[in-house]
């Protein structure tokens, strides 16, 4: 390990912290080093010693008693899903997963079959690593990550953005210039957060190379070899070996690395070269038995050749019994110098042997692809099956294998229908993994092909249905690309073709979804088409379609502020949805999201939450991941309004994972805006995170003027106001709204107008504030929504306050609190109370001020809102406010009831109080959902409550009582 003392010292410190963290965990302490995993990014050119360094680090971790898992990505297997992780986990002890409840969720990493949610797999993998880190820490070493498959890179991205809360060290090696841009960008971004530590390996010094060469080589010859190698250890050693074999060091132009390595192969016997070629071709399947079958050799002669190649250090064996070439550069040179037809035959034989051994289609697909030289129905069937099995967990691999199948599918009439179906599937896979533009291009090409082909009416009808599916998917992709105008035009053109009633429903559903997001098209402009879709659904007796159209119509009317119509449509949609079983709703996930959002805008929060949670469960089970962010963000929005802030933030984080995977800037802008809103509520005043996330949201929105961008700019305005920058807040809100604020959602406009009112007052623009406040009041009265009316009341309250009438202002804030409470908007109720409390005191209502402040503070504490707690601290009324009904027999009884809970039950009850679902609690604590629900049931029995809401209330009262008791003790 010459020349790597600094890098090893850095690793030693990280491994020591992890080992120290395990000792702390055993004592009940949190893992030190901020309680989260760290990733070490080892970079450098080929041959610089990255793998050698990683091997030494693995040895040092083992000496510390840590669990060590090491995997390597390989150049010619870049479409095998999760290949580098499956290679690492192949080292696991067979009993390591005994009792792990999420084994099915990580099945693809264990080379087991199973249909899983790819983003659920990411979260479960974090739980798996945390489990493997007990009791002595874990080192996960991933080599040659520049060759990793897209699914592995996406999983690593999740682990970097969501560090594991356990003594885990991740170490990766990669070549700078060959690394995917997304990987390099993510690792670079996380350098500032401390999650990633970068070690860039430099060439060895002349002294190091002299020591490597040993004392037998004259200094002049060592210097010549060093100069030729430029300090690259692998090249230097290869030159040294060649020199000892007869190359003269005085040569003015030493041969290149590739030439040296190929010269090394020329001395091999043909039988030995055949083994080397087979190992290079087979890669991760190069077991001695497989190499024997592919080369057609066995017995003592085969064994003798393997031993001879091992002595030459051309071949090495891994702990798992694989044969491998000594360096990836050697494999590349051997693979590319192997005659093409010979490679093809080896891959064909490998695919046959794997099939005989019962390997899955996904395991065989790589070899099948490499052996295809012409149309082969059986081989394409394997690729088709592999694509189907990986569509949910590794859509990039799915798209690749479908592309291979399409390239070999003959362009003949009998294959037309299958070609169209494969193109549609490939477009869907591309849309799921970030290839939105390529997906759109494929779909447009598919739509442009003739509607009919030979085969009779039935074939024509099938192709018409496929065309409509392509149009709907294309419109969805256009929406994610921020091209809602194009989506609307495409759908209207298809509706003009007089489609079948069932297709009218599909097209109308998508049109109703796209129109509100289009800056040039209001919902009113497509209302007639949506009503036509509703009539078609009723005509055909399609209750699922009818429920979907009603949900979309409810959201369209709610967005526009037509609340009477929206209420009626939402009620009808909810009645139908609630009467249908989950299986019937599989095709209704996006309309369920629309219904949830409509009910959220109508301020029917319990109904919105119920329908969004149901839609989320169905979407995850059926693999409709593009809908999941909408459902997660609907729940996050509801939980911000109802002041369950930790849960809101966790849901937004999950949505961010999926949005980044889809690759839609517009979706990412919406997700980040929602996350910023949750962060504003969660963070104490002065925390820079909300504004930073809001800035990223508007950057993702770009120069667009659609609904996505408007929402992002509005939240940016709120974050800027809370950060103490009213000028930026005002500018952002005006940017969101455009002329006369018409781009701001009408049904949310009073709330966003409050930003302008506050910003104008803080900057001394009292007349401007009055104008915005009066407009907010007028629009809120027209909407008739309690929360929007409460926002307008807070804005109007500033007007009498400016004239010194604190009593009138306090009354308006109290009315705003009451309006918020009427619809369950606890966050805004607490906000109104805490703004009004000091005005109550200034108006001479000391007792009322204390009561108002205490209630606001209690709601803020129970909801986990750092913003509101900070506001409470800033607006604390004079006098002793700690004398509240917390020092009472009721509190003593509460303490006794909660004292019966175990530590784990108390921990889970606290998470229930934060609004987390059983699955979210299971993800956070790395236990099964069933375990969580068992603990919740026991907590119900011990405390005498019968619902999660009642348990949350108990925990809130306990927390509030404890905090206020501590405050009183400090005063005493």
């Amino acid at each position: 390990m010459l020349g790597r003392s600094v890098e090893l010292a850095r690793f030693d410190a990280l491994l020591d912290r992890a080992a120290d963290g395990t000792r702390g965990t055993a004592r009940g302490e949190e893992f030190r080093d901020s309680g989260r995993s760290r990733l070490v990014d080892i970079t450098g050119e080929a041959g610089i010693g990255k793998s050698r360094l990683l091997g030494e680090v693995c040895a040092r971790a083992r000496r510390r008693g840590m669990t060590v898992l090491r995997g390597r990505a390989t150049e010619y297997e870049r479409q095998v899903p999760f290949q580098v992780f499956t290679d690492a986990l192949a080292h696991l002890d067979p009993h390591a997963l005994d009792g792990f409840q999420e084994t099915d969720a990580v099945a693809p990493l264990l080379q087991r079959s199973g249909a899983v949610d790819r983003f659920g797999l990411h979260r479960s993998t974090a739980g798996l690593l945390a489990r493997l880190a007990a009791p002595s820490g874990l080192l996960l070493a991933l080599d040659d990550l520049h060759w990793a498959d897209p699914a592995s890179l996406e999983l690593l991205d999740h682990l970097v953005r969501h560090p594991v809360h356990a003594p885990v060290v991740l170490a990766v090696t990669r070549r700078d210039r060959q690394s995917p841009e997304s990987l390099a960008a993510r690792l670079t971004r996380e350098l500032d957060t401390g999650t990633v530590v970068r070690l860039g390996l430099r060439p060895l010094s002349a002294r190091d190379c002299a020591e490597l060469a040993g004392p037998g080589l004259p200094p002049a010859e060592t210097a010549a070899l060093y100069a030729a190698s430029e300090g690259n250890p692998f090249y230097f050693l290869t030159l040294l070996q060649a020199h000892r074999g007869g190359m003269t060091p005085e040569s003015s132009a030493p041969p290149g690395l590739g030439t040296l390595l190929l010269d090394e192969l020329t001395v091999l016997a043909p039988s030995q070269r055949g083994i080397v070629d087979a190992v290079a071709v087979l890669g991760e399947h190069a077991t001695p038995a497989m190499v024997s079958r592919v080369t057609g050799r066995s017995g003592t002669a085969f064994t003798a050749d393997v031993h001879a190649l091992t002595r030459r250090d051309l071949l090495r064996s891994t702990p798992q019994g694989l044969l491998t070439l000594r360096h990836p550069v050697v494999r590349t040179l051997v693979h590319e110098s192997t005659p093409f037809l010979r490679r093809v035959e080896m891959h064909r034989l490998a695919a046959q042997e794997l099939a005989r051994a019962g390997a899955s289609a996904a395991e065989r697909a790589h070899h099948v692809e490499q052996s295809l030289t012409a149309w082969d129905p059986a081989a394409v069937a394997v690729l088709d099956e592999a694509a189907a099995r990986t569509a949910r967990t590794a859509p990039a691999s799915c798209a690749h294998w479908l592309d291979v199948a399409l390239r070999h599918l003959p362009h003949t009439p009998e294959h037309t229908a299958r070609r169209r179906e494969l193109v549609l599937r490939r477009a869907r896979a591309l849309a799921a993994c970030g290839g939105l533009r390529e997906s759109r291009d494929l779909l447009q090409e598919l739509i442009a092909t003739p509607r009919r082909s030979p085969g009779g009416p039935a074939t024509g009808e099938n192709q018409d249905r496929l065309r409509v599916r392509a149009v709907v998917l294309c419109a969805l992709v256009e929406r994610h690309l921020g091209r809602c105008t194009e989506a609307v035009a495409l759908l209207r053109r298809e509706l003009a073709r007089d489609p079948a009633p069932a297709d009218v429903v599909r097209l109308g559903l998508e049109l109703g979804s796209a129109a509100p997001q289009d800056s040039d098209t209001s919902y009113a402009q497509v209302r007639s088409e949506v009503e036509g879709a509703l009539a078609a659904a009723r005509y055909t007796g399609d209750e699922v379609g009818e429920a979907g159209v009603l949900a979309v119509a409810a959201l369209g009317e709610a967005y526009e502020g037509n609340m009477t119509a929206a209420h009626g449509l939402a009620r009808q949609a909810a009645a139908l949805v609630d009467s249908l079983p989950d299986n019937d709703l599989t095709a209704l996930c996006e309309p369920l999201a629309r219904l949830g959002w409509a009910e959220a805008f109508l301020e029917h929060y319990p109904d919105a939450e119920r329908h969004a949670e149901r839609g989320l469960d169905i979407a995850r089970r059926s693999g409709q991941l593009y809908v999941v962010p909408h459902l997660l963000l609907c729940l996050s929005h509801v939980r911000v309004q109802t002041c369950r802030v930790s849960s809101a933030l966790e849901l937004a984080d999950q949505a961010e994972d999926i949005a980044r995977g889809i690759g839609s800037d517009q979706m990412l802008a919406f997700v980040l805006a929602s996350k910023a809103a949750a962060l504003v509520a969660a963070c104490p005043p002065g925390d820079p995170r909300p504004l930073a996330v809001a800035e990223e949201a508007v950057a993702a929105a770009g120069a667009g003027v659609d609904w996505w961008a408007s929402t992002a700019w509005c939240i940016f305005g709120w974050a800027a106001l809370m950060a103490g920058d009213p000028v930026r807040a005002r500018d952002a809100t005006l940017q969101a709204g455009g002329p006369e604020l018409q781009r701001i959602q009408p049904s949310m406009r009073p709330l966003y107008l409050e930003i302008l009112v506050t910003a104008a007052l803080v900057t001394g623009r009292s007349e401007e504030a009055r104008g915005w406040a009066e407009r907010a009041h007028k629009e809120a009265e027209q909407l008739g929504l309690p929360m929007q009316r409460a926002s307008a009341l807070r804005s109007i309250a500033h007007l009498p306050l400016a004239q010194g009438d604190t009593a009138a202002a306090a009354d308006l804030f109290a009315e705003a609190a009451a309006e918020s409470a009427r619809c369950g908007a606890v966050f805004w109720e607490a906000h109104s109370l805490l703004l009004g409390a000091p005005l109550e005191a200034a108006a001479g209502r000391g007792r009322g001020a204390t009561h108002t402040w205490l209630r606001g503070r209690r709601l803020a504490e129970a909801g986990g809102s750092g913003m509101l707690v900070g506001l409470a601290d800033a607006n604390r009324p004079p006098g002793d406010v700690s004398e509240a009904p917390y020092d009472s027999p009721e509190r003593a009884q509460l303490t006794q009831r909660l004292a019966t809970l175990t530590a784990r039950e108390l921990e889970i009850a606290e998470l229930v109080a934060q609004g987390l679902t059983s699955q979210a609690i299971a993800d956070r604590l790395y236990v099964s959902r069933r375990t969580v629900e068992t603990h919740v049931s026991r907590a119900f029995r011990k405390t005498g409550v019968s619902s999660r809401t009642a348990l949350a209330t108990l925990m809130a009262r306990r927390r509030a009582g404890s905090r206020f008791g501590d405050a009183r003790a400090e005063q005493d």
Side-chain angles (χ1 to χ4, degrees):
M1 291 307 299
L2 293 168
R4 302 299 182 222
S5 57
V6 172
E7 290 84 358
L8 286 170
R10 295 286 297 277
F11 263 114
D12 282 338
L14 284 169
L15 295 176
D16 286 341
R17 284 197 191 100
D20 195 33
T22 61
R23 290 191 288 273
T25 302
R27 296 190 298 268
E29 301 170 3
E30 186 181 39
F31 170 44
R32 296 175 188 180
D33 195 21
S34 302
R36 55 183 195 168
S37 59
R38 303 284 290 278
L39 183 144
V40 185
D41 180 25
I42 306 170
T43 64
E45 63 184 13
I48 202 67
K50 302 182 296 297
S51 298
R52 177 71 184 86
L53 175 64
L54 194 61
E56 175 64 21
V57 170
C58 289
R60 294 185 180 207
R62 288 190 187 97
R63 288 198 291 271
R64 286 171 169 81
M66 298 176 69
T67 299
V68 176
L69 301 175
R70 185 175 182 180
R72 180 188 293 276
T74 48
E75 182 176 9
Y76 299 105
E77 289 81 21
R78 279 185 270 190
Q79 296 302 328
V80 178
F82 304 108
Q83 184 266 327
V84 68
F85 284 94
T86 57
D87 189 36
L89 291 170
H91 303 189
L92 275 179
D93 181 279
H95 300 293
L97 297 181
D98 289 352
F100 181 57
Q101 301 290 335
E102 306 298 321
T103 301
D104 290 345
V106 297
L109 304 188
L110 306 172
Q111 292 187 322
R112 301 177 186 174
S113 60
V116 301
D117 167 5
R118 90 187 204 243
F119 297 102
L121 179 147
H122 297 169
R123 295 190 297 276
S124 295
T125 301
L128 173 62
L129 297 182
R131 175 188 174 87
L132 296 175
S136 55
L138 171 68
L139 171 66
L140 176 61
L142 305 177
D143 213 352
D144 288 336
L145 213 62
H146 49 279
W147 285 327
D149 60 279
S152 292
L153 292 177
E154 189 175 63
L155 173 53
L156 184 72
D157 182 84
H158 175 88
L159 295 174
V160 172
R161 287 188 294 108
H162 302 282
V164 182
H165 289 268
V168 175
V169 177
L170 288 85
V172 304
T173 71
R174 62 185 179 89
R175 299 178 193 170
D176 294 291
R177 295 179 182 177
Q178 291 177 250
S179 295
E181 186 178 343
S182 60
L183 170 65
R186 169 55 60 192
L187 295 178
T188 299
R189 277 197 297 270
E190 296 301 329
L191 288 173
D192 291 339
T193 68
T195 301
V196 171
V197 176
R198 178 162 295 162
L199 300 180
L201 299 192
R202 297 184 177 184
L204 298 180
S205 67
R207 178 180 297 179
D208 291 332
C209 285
E211 187 173 346
L212 197 60
L217 194 68
E221 295 179 13
T222 302
L225 296 180
Y226 170 73
S229 69
E230 298 181 342
N232 182 293
F234 181 58
Y235 191 14
F236 179 83
L237 289 171
T238 305
L239 282 169
L240 180 63
Q241 182 178 351
H243 171 70
R244 287 170 175 161
M247 187 193 85
T248 58
E250 294 79 14
S251 173
S252 59
L257 179 61
T259 302
L260 288 169
L261 294 172
L262 288 174
D263 283 348
E264 188 178 354
L265 301 177
T266 59
V267 301
L268 300 179
S271 61
Q272 294 174 336
R273 178 60 195 260
I275 292 173
V276 170
D277 291 347
V279 170
V281 168
L282 292 173
E284 62 177 2
H285 292 128
T287 62
M290 183 69 80
V291 174
S292 173
R293 293 189 188 99
V294 166
T295 57
R297 301 183 63 243
S298 60
T300 56
F302 173 77
T303 303
D305 280 341
V306 170
H307 286 165
L309 292 167
T310 303
R311 286 195 300 272
R312 283 181 172 274
D313 197 28
L314 267 172
L315 284 190
R316 295 176 179 176
S317 59
T318 70
Q320 293 72 46
L322 292 176
L323 295 175
T324 181
L325 295 166
R326 73 168 180 263
H327 195 279
V329 171
V330 178
R331 184 190 181 194
T332 299
L333 289 168
V334 172
H335 190 279
E336 293 182 358
S337 64
T338 302
F340 172 70
L341 291 179
R342 188 175 179 183
R343 283 205 311 265
V344 167
E345 180 62 13
M346 286 180 177
H347 281 297
R348 186 185 65 79
L349 291 171
Q352 285 181 356
E353 291 299 327
L354 288 170
R356 189 175 293 118
S360 69
E363 290 180 84
R364 290 180 280 148
H366 161 66
H367 294 293
V368 168
E369 174 190 349
Q370 297 300 321
S371 65
L372 262 179
T373 57
W375 168 240
D376 181 345
V380 169
V382 173
L383 295 175
D384 194 342
E385 183 183 349
R389 287 181 176 273
T390 57
R392 291 180 59 179
T393 53
S397 296
C398 169
H400 171 78
W401 285 327
L402 289 172
D403 182 45
V404 175
L406 284 164
R407 288 203 306 267
H408 290 87
L409 188 67
H411 287 268
T412 54
E414 62 266 29
H415 292 107
T416 297
R418 188 176 186 190
R419 173 173 294 279
R420 289 167 64 85
E421 184 64 42
L422 291 177
V423 168
L424 183 60
R425 285 173 56 198
R426 182 163 185 261
R428 185 175 291 112
L430 287 167
C433 67
L436 292 172
R437 286 174 175 78
E438 189 177 355
S439 174
R440 179 193 61 197
D441 293 345
L442 278 178
L443 291 165
Q444 288 179 343
E445 182 179 344
L446 184 60
I447 294 165
T449 55
R451 298 181 69 189
R452 304 277 175 172
S453 64
T459 301
E461 289 173 10
N462 289 336
Q463 291 200 21
D464 281 347
R465 282 195 292 272
L466 186 141
R467 175 191 169 87
V468 169
R469 286 161 56 199
V471 167
V472 171
L473 180 58
C474 188
L476 175 65
V477 171
E478 293 281 29
R479 276 201 280 138
H480 282 301
L481 287 169
R483 292 161 50 94
C484 291
T485 300
E486 288 79 359
V488 169
L490 176 65
L491 293 162
R492 279 182 157 163
R493 187 181 69 179
E494 193 64 23
L495 280 167
R497 292 173 177 267
D498 192 25
D503 292 334
V504 169
V505 176
R506 295 190 187 96
L507 294 165
L509 271 170
E510 179 60 27
L511 183 61
S513 299
Q517 300 170 19
D518 181 15
S519 58
D520 297 327
T521 309
S522 67
Y523 177 77
Q525 292 174 280
V526 300
R527 186 180 286 121
S528 60
E529 287 100 328
V530 175
E531 289 174 349
L534 181 60
R538 287 171 171 166
Y539 172 77
T540 58
D542 179 5
E543 288 187 317
V544 173
E546 181 183 355
V549 177
L550 285 167
V552 166
L555 178 59
E557 300 293 1
Y559 177 91
E560 296 290 345
N562 302 321
M563 293 307 171
T564 301
H567 279 293
L569 290 164
R571 280 196 298 271
Q572 293 178 63
L576 263 178
V577 164
D578 293 343
S579 70
L580 294 169
D582 282 0
N583 287 342
D584 287 353
L585 296 178
T586 300
L588 205 62
C589 287
E590 188 160 14
L592 270 172
R594 305 292 172 193
L595 177 58
W597 275 111
E599 290 169 331
F601 292 150
L602 290 166
E603 301 174 7
H604 299 164
Y605 297 127
D607 292 336
E609 190 163 10
R610 179 166 54 85
H611 289 130
E613 284 185 334
R614 189 180 182 193
L616 188 60
D617 184 53
I618 296 169
R620 280 178 165 156
R621 280 192 280 110
S622 58
Q624 300 180 64
L625 290 176
Y626 73 95
V627 185
V628 171
H630 295 283
L631 293 158
L632 289 168
L633 295 182
C634 178
L635 287 169
S636 180
H637 171 82
V638 167
R639 289 178 185 174
V640 168
Q641 312 312 311
T642 54
C643 206
R644 289 171 287 167
V645 177
S646 297
S647 174
L649 192 53
E650 189 163 341
L651 290 162
D653 274 336
Q654 292 180 35
E656 182 184 354
D657 286 346
I658 303 173
R660 291 189 186 277
I662 291 173
S664 165
D665 288 341
Q666 279 64 33
M667 172 60 74
L668 183 60
F670 184 36
V671 167
L672 291 172
S674 298
K675 182 177 178 178
L679 280 168
V680 169
C683 294
D687 192 308
R689 287 177 294 167
L691 189 58
V693 174
E695 285 175 335
E696 189 180 354
V698 297
V705 292
D706 52 19
W707 177 77
W708 312 87
S710 173
T711 301
W713 278 107
C714 283
I715 301 301
F716 178 79
W718 188 29
L721 188 65
M722 294 299 101
D725 193 342
V727 174
R728 288 182 82 188
R730 176 181 182 274
D731 292 346
T733 309
L734 293 176
Q735 168 79 20
E740 298 299 318
L741 302 184
Q742 290 305 309
R743 287 202 298 266
I744 293 180
Q745 181 178 334
S747 54
M748 295 287 287
R749 199 178 288 147
L751 184 64
Y752 294 136
L753 281 167
E754 190 176 356
I755 299 171
L756 291 173
V757 172
T758 308
L761 287 167
V762 173
T763 55
R765 303 179 181 186
S766 56
E767 285 305 311
E768 181 179 315
R770 176 181 293 276
W772 293 130
E774 289 174 348
R775 177 173 175 179
H777 186 261
K778 179 181 178 182
E779 294 196 20
E781 291 300 319
Q782 291 172 347
L783 292 171
L785 298 173
M787 192 189 82
Q788 297 300 322
R789 188 165 183 272
S791 177
L793 287 167
R794 289 193 298 272
S795 294
I796 288 291
H798 292 292
L799 303 184
L801 184 60
Q803 298 173 355
D805 191 347
T806 54
D811 290 342
L812 287 168
F813 279 116
E815 190 179 349
E819 284 289 330
S820 301
R822 192 156 63 88
C823 66
V826 178
F827 180 87
W828 298 109
E829 179 188 0
H831 191 229
S832 303
L833 290 168
L834 293 170
L835 288 175
L839 301 180
E840 294 272 6
R845 307 170 185 169
R847 189 178 184 84
T850 298
H851 176 79
T852 298
W853 184 85
L854 283 172
R855 175 164 174 74
R857 174 67 184 248
R858 185 169 66 249
L859 294 174
E861 288 271 1
S865 173
M867 170 198 156
L868 292 178
V869 171
L871 179 62
D873 291 343
N875 286 358
R876 185 185 183 96
D880 183 7
V881 295
S882 63
E883 293 181 2
Y886 300 113
D887 300 314
S888 64
E890 181 185 358
R891 183 186 173 194
Q893 184 183 15
L894 170 64
T895 302
Q896 290 174 359
R897 291 162 69 188
L898 293 175
T900 62
L901 301 183
T902 65
R904 191 58 146 179
E905 288 164 356
L906 201 60
E907 180 182 25
I908 289 176
E910 185 61 51
L911 295 174
V912 168
Q914 294 175 22
L916 271 65
T917 63
S918 293
Q919 187 59 59
I921 296 171
D923 292 342
R924 177 174 291 192
L925 300 181
Y926 306 121
V927 298
S928 70
R929 179 173 180 166
R930 182 177 299 175
T931 298
V932 172
E933 290 173 346
T934 298
H935 283 303
V936 171
S937 297
R938 290 173 181 165
F940 285 173
R941 187 174 65 253
K942 291 179 180 181
T943 58
V945 301
S946 59
S947 71
R948 295 170 75 95
T949 302
L951 182 61
T953 301
L954 280 182
M955 296 304 296
R957 289 163 60 190
R958 168 184 176 270
R959 187 164 59 245
S962 175
R963 300 278 177 90
F964 281 104
D966 291 344
R968 186 174 185 183
E970 289 175 6
Q971 290 179 352
D972 292 344

